[in-house]
Amino acid sequence: MGADYYKILQVDRNSSDDDLKKAYRKLAMKWHPDKNPNNKSQSEAKFKQISEAYDVLSDPQKRAIYDQYGEEGLKGQAPPPPDAGGGYGGGGGPSFRFNPRSADDIFSEFFGFSSPFGGGMGDMGGGSRVGASSGFPRSTFAEEIFANYRGGGVGGGDGFGHNVPRKAAAIERTLPCSLEDLYKGTSKKMKISREVVADASGTLVPKPRRRPTTVEEIITIDIKPGWKKGTKITFPEKGNEQRGVIPSDLVFIIDEKPHSVYKRDGNDLLITQKISLVEALTGYTAQIATLDGRNLTVPINAIISPTYEEVVKGEGMPIPKEPSKKGNLRIKFNIKFPSRLTSDQKTGIKRLLTS
């Protein structure tokens, strides 16, 4: 009795190509010999068995022969079925002979490496040995692949084993900005260093022994008027390059530096003026320097209480989604009360306030 390839891959006889790929991906990761160093001989045999099952069931011609004649038909011990494809029908045509592919090669098609766990599988079914001599750290690839496998599959494509690499996690950096920068908008130039694996034309080269080269690059960050703390600026795929992985995005996160005069409240600007009690009671004119270098004169004729707030419309922060509009400038007051009063002053104040 030959091997039951459907049982080996844990799929049913009506399984689709996607079902087969999902099953192979899961089992290959589980039984890869380099993941099972304490049980290597058994895992190698299991891994080869899984690879052979996938090789047969993922090929329509091989699968048709296997479904009708079993493993014996693949090995030339039974005639192929009519119209099996590829010119192998009956009528005296050439007999079919199954030549299994290397387990290394099949695994490499899925994940971009035949031995990403570091040790190398050796020669399993005639495949080349890749991994231990790849020039990349063992722990890095193992941790990254298993982390992504646990998170829902290795690779950034459709999740069915197509040879599409996953994308590395984004690199985030804080970008401190003054309130003036965020009010007027500005451009900042940043020098970044990253590792690339590319040929002369800039194309990523999938060679296991090619080592990364460090390059420096100047990038320009355009900060728009009104941007808030927490705004993110993304530079796609500006992280380090490595085989089988799409470089990470480089993300700058706006942070707002404290200002000596102003505080920000959403799209509004807050400023506090120190005034005397006399000014609070008799009138005050505020002289304010704006963030873009203008001088505002704001006369206040109302009686200023400790909780009073003067609002100057349209003198706050620019609104990013409506560049022609701004928030408000809100003026608060710190009233300086006299530390003591003479008897005559007290009498005079009482007379004035009660008259």
CSV table of all heavy atoms in Angstrom, one decimal, residues 15 39 44-45 56 61 70 80 91 95 101 122 151 155 165 170 191-192 214 224 235 248 285 304 341-342:
chain,number,residue,atom,x,y,z
A,15,SER,N,-9.6,18.9,-2.2
A,15,SER,CA,-8.9,20.1,-1.8
A,15,SER,C,-8.5,20.9,-3.0
A,15,SER,O,-8.1,20.4,-4.1
A,15,SER,CB,-7.7,19.7,-0.9
A,15,SER,OG,-6.9,18.8,-1.6
A,39,ASN,N,15.3,16.1,17.3
A,39,ASN,CA,14.6,15.0,16.6
A,39,ASN,C,14.8,15.1,15.1
A,39,ASN,O,13.8,15.0,14.4
A,39,ASN,CB,13.1,15.0,17.0
A,39,ASN,CG,12.4,13.7,16.7
A,39,ASN,OD1,13.1,12.6,16.5
A,39,ASN,ND2,11.1,13.7,16.6
A,44,GLU,N,13.3,15.1,9.4
A,44,GLU,CA,13.8,15.1,8.0
A,44,GLU,C,12.9,14.1,7.2
A,44,GLU,O,12.5,14.5,6.1
A,44,GLU,CB,15.3,14.6,7.9
A,44,GLU,CG,16.2,15.7,8.3
A,44,GLU,CD,17.7,15.3,8.0
A,44,GLU,OE1,17.9,14.2,7.6
A,44,GLU,OE2,18.6,16.2,8.3
A,45,ALA,N,12.6,13.0,7.7
A,45,ALA,CA,11.8,12.0,7.0
A,45,ALA,C,10.4,12.6,6.8
A,45,ALA,O,9.8,12.5,5.7
A,45,ALA,CB,11.8,10.7,7.7
A,56,VAL,N,3.3,16.1,-5.5
A,56,VAL,CA,2.3,15.3,-6.3
A,56,VAL,C,1.0,16.0,-6.5
A,56,VAL,O,0.4,16.2,-7.6
A,56,VAL,CB,2.2,13.9,-5.7
A,56,VAL,CG1,1.0,13.1,-6.4
A,56,VAL,CG2,3.5,13.1,-5.8
A,61,GLN,N,-1.2,16.8,-13.5
A,61,GLN,CA,-0.9,15.5,-14.1
A,61,GLN,C,-0.6,14.4,-13.1
A,61,GLN,O,-1.1,13.3,-13.1
A,61,GLN,CB,0.3,15.7,-15.1
A,61,GLN,CG,0.7,14.4,-15.8
A,61,GLN,CD,2.0,14.5,-16.6
A,61,GLN,OE1,2.5,15.6,-16.7
A,61,GLN,NE2,2.5,13.4,-17.1
A,70,GLY,N,-2.6,5.4,-7.6
A,70,GLY,CA,-1.9,5.5,-6.4
A,70,GLY,C,-0.4,5.7,-6.6
A,70,GLY,O,0.1,6.1,-7.7
A,80,PRO,N,-0.6,5.1,-17.0
A,80,PRO,CA,-1.2,6.3,-16.7
A,80,PRO,C,-2.6,6.4,-17.2
A,80,PRO,O,-3.0,5.6,-18.1
A,80,PRO,CB,-0.3,7.3,-17.5
A,80,PRO,CG,0.2,6.6,-18.6
A,80,PRO,CD,0.4,5.2,-18.1
A,91,GLY,N,-2.6,4.4,-25.7
A,91,GLY,CA,-2.3,4.3,-27.2
A,91,GLY,C,-0.8,4.1,-27.4
A,91,GLY,O,-0.3,4.6,-28.5
A,95,SER,N,5.6,6.0,-21.2
A,95,SER,CA,5.1,5.8,-19.8
A,95,SER,C,5.5,6.9,-18.9
A,95,SER,O,6.5,7.6,-19.2
A,95,SER,CB,5.6,4.5,-19.3
A,95,SER,OG,7.0,4.5,-19.2
A,101,ARG,N,10.8,16.2,-6.6
A,101,ARG,CA,11.6,17.4,-6.5
A,101,ARG,C,12.2,17.5,-5.1
A,101,ARG,O,11.8,16.9,-4.2
A,101,ARG,CB,10.8,18.7,-6.8
A,101,ARG,CG,10.4,18.9,-8.2
A,101,ARG,CD,9.9,20.3,-8.4
A,101,ARG,NE,8.7,20.6,-7.6
A,101,ARG,CZ,8.4,21.8,-7.2
A,101,ARG,NH1,9.2,22.8,-7.5
A,101,ARG,NH2,7.3,22.0,-6.5
A,122,GLY,N,21.1,20.0,4.7
A,122,GLY,CA,21.9,19.1,4.0
A,122,GLY,C,21.3,18.7,2.7
A,122,GLY,O,20.6,19.5,2.1
A,151,GLY,N,1.7,34.8,13.6
A,151,GLY,CA,0.8,35.9,13.4
A,151,GLY,C,-0.1,35.8,12.2
A,151,GLY,O,-0.8,36.7,11.8
A,155,GLY,N,5.1,35.7,4.8
A,155,GLY,CA,4.9,36.3,3.4
A,155,GLY,C,3.9,37.4,3.5
A,155,GLY,O,3.0,37.4,4.3
A,165,PRO,N,7.3,38.1,-0.6
A,165,PRO,CA,7.9,38.2,0.7
A,165,PRO,C,7.0,39.1,1.6
A,165,PRO,O,6.2,39.9,1.2
A,165,PRO,CB,9.2,39.0,0.4
A,165,PRO,CG,8.9,39.7,-0.9
A,165,PRO,CD,8.0,38.8,-1.7
A,170,ALA,N,7.4,48.5,10.6
A,170,ALA,CA,7.8,49.9,10.4
A,170,ALA,C,8.7,50.3,11.5
A,170,ALA,O,8.7,49.9,12.6
A,170,ALA,CB,6.5,50.7,10.4
A,191,LYS,N,19.4,62.9,7.4
A,191,LYS,CA,20.3,61.9,6.9
A,191,LYS,C,20.0,60.6,7.5
A,191,LYS,O,20.0,60.5,8.7
A,191,LYS,CB,21.8,62.3,7.1
A,191,LYS,CG,22.8,61.3,6.5
A,191,LYS,CD,24.2,61.6,6.9
A,191,LYS,CE,24.8,62.7,6.2
A,191,LYS,NZ,26.2,62.9,6.4
A,192,ILE,N,19.8,59.6,6.7
A,192,ILE,CA,19.5,58.2,7.2
A,192,ILE,C,20.6,57.3,6.6
A,192,ILE,O,21.1,57.5,5.5
A,192,ILE,CB,18.1,57.8,6.8
A,192,ILE,CG1,18.0,57.7,5.3
A,192,ILE,CG2,17.1,58.7,7.4
A,192,ILE,CD1,16.7,57.0,4.9
A,214,THR,N,26.1,49.4,3.5
A,214,THR,CA,25.5,50.5,4.2
A,214,THR,C,25.6,51.8,3.3
A,214,THR,O,26.6,52.1,2.7
A,214,THR,CB,26.2,50.8,5.5
A,214,THR,OG1,26.1,49.7,6.3
A,214,THR,CG2,25.6,52.0,6.2
A,224,LYS,N,3.5,70.4,7.0
A,224,LYS,CA,2.4,71.3,6.6
A,224,LYS,C,1.9,72.2,7.7
A,224,LYS,O,1.9,71.7,8.9
A,224,LYS,CB,1.2,70.5,6.0
A,224,LYS,CG,1.6,69.5,4.9
A,224,LYS,CD,2.2,70.2,3.7
A,224,LYS,CE,2.5,69.3,2.6
A,224,LYS,NZ,3.2,69.9,1.4
A,235,PHE,N,7.8,57.2,4.9
A,235,PHE,CA,8.7,57.0,3.7
A,235,PHE,C,8.7,55.5,3.4
A,235,PHE,O,9.4,54.7,4.1
A,235,PHE,CB,10.1,57.5,4.0
A,235,PHE,CG,10.2,59.0,4.1
A,235,PHE,CD1,9.9,59.7,5.3
A,235,PHE,CD2,10.5,59.8,3.0
A,235,PHE,CE1,10.0,61.0,5.4
A,235,PHE,CE2,10.5,61.2,3.1
A,235,PHE,CZ,10.2,61.8,4.3
A,248,SER,N,11.2,47.7,5.6
A,248,SER,CA,10.2,48.4,6.4
A,248,SER,C,10.0,49.8,6.0
A,248,SER,O,10.9,50.4,5.3
A,248,SER,CB,10.7,48.4,7.9
A,248,SER,OG,11.9,49.0,8.0
A,285,THR,N,-4.6,97.2,27.1
A,285,THR,CA,-4.3,96.9,25.7
A,285,THR,C,-3.2,95.9,25.6
A,285,THR,O,-2.0,96.2,26.1
A,285,THR,CB,-3.9,98.2,25.0
A,285,THR,OG1,-5.0,99.1,25.0
A,285,THR,CG2,-3.6,97.9,23.5
A,304,ILE,N,-11.7,92.9,33.6
A,304,ILE,CA,-11.0,91.6,33.5
A,304,ILE,C,-11.0,90.9,34.8
A,304,ILE,O,-10.3,91.3,35.8
A,304,ILE,CB,-9.6,91.8,33.0
A,304,ILE,CG1,-9.6,92.5,31.6
A,304,ILE,CG2,-8.9,90.4,32.9
A,304,ILE,CD1,-8.2,92.9,31.1
A,341,LEU,N,-2.6,97.3,51.4
A,341,LEU,CA,-3.2,98.6,51.1
A,341,LEU,C,-3.2,99.5,52.4
A,341,LEU,O,-3.4,98.9,53.5
A,341,LEU,CB,-4.7,98.5,50.6
A,341,LEU,CG,-4.9,97.7,49.3
A,341,LEU,CD1,-6.4,97.5,49.1
A,341,LEU,CD2,-4.3,98.6,48.2
A,342,THR,N,-3.0,100.8,52.2
A,342,THR,CA,-3.1,101.7,53.4
A,342,THR,C,-4.6,101.9,53.7
A,342,THR,O,-5.5,101.6,53.0
A,342,THR,CB,-2.4,103.0,53.1
A,342,THR,OG1,-3.2,103.7,52.0
A,342,THR,CG2,-1.0,102.8,52.6
